[in-house]
Amino acid sequence: MKKYITLFFAVLLLAGCNIQGQTAKEPPTVKIEADGKSYDTVLGTFCWNGKCEDYAGPVELMKDKVTLQVKAGEKLQLKQSTTNLPTTSFLTELNSIEQGKDLPLTEDGTFTAPTQPGTYYYGYTASWRDEKKDVSIGDAQYAFALKVLP
């Protein structure tokens, strides 16, 4: 099942590799804001400015990485390094074998941490399009993990 989830994300992201007119060499960085502090996410699979790279899924990417500790039900926000907001985006919560469920994400990137204590893995997938030219600017997947405290 893990292989299929990774393949799904790779196909989804690679579908947007036709990049034209984009000057940034890498996808925007995405951070998580929690309790007034900012934390990094890990860039995964992406296609940007004609360059495509494929990585493991979020659970594997977060192996041996620092897990952000949050309060149960805390409001968190995903923030990117550019003002050009994604055309589409979605947030998926994954368990340790990468079976996932989509989570509600507001337009400004806000979501709510789980209410049950434990470690949770996430994949945030975003796509940018130039609607006037009807071309893809790029796609990227970001990974992060939360440890919900009791």
Side-chain angles (χ1 to χ4, degrees):
M1 184 61 150
K2 181 178 176 182
K3 183 167 73 174
Y4 294 112
I5 295 292
T6 301
L7 180 62
F8 166 76
F9 281 118
V11 168
L12 175 70
L13 294 174
L14 293 175
C17 282
N18 182 14
I19 315 302
Q20 296 177 5
Q22 181 63 24
T23 56
K25 294 184 185 213
E26 298 287 332
T29 58
V30 173
K31 295 187 178 272
I32 302 169
E33 283 196 1
D35 200 24
K37 295 179 183 170
S38 185
Y39 303 90
D40 293 330
T41 62
V42 175
L43 178 62
T45 297
F46 71 90
C47 281
W48 201 265
N49 200 25
K51 176 182 176 183
C52 295
E53 293 188 14
D54 188 23
Y55 293 93
V59 174
E60 189 64 28
L61 280 174
M62 292 310 299
K63 190 176 187 179
D64 303 324
K65 299 277 194 267
V66 175
T67 302
L68 174 61
Q69 295 186 2
V70 298
K71 299 173 201 153
E74 184 174 347
K75 293 288 184 197
L76 306 168
Q77 187 176 22
L78 294 167
K79 292 223 169 180
Q80 62 181 39
S81 63
T82 179
T83 57
N84 182 18
L85 295 176
T87 309
T88 60
S89 64
F90 61 92
L91 180 64
T92 303
E93 182 181 282
L94 302 155
N95 64 25
S96 62
I97 56 171
E98 297 209 17
Q99 291 177 326
K101 67 177 181 176
D102 289 340
L103 298 178
L105 186 63
T106 65
E107 193 171 300
D108 71 351
T110 301
F111 67 103
T112 304
T115 56
Q116 296 299 313
T119 300
Y120 298 82
Y121 299 91
Y122 295 86
Y124 172 65
T125 303
S127 299
W128 291 262
R129 289 193 62 75
D130 181 332
E131 298 295 334
K132 291 178 184 173
K133 295 180 182 176
D134 195 28
V135 296
S136 175
I137 295 169
D139 301 32
Q141 180 185 19
Y142 304 85
F144 61 96
L146 301 178
K147 181 174 184 176
V148 177
L149 303 173

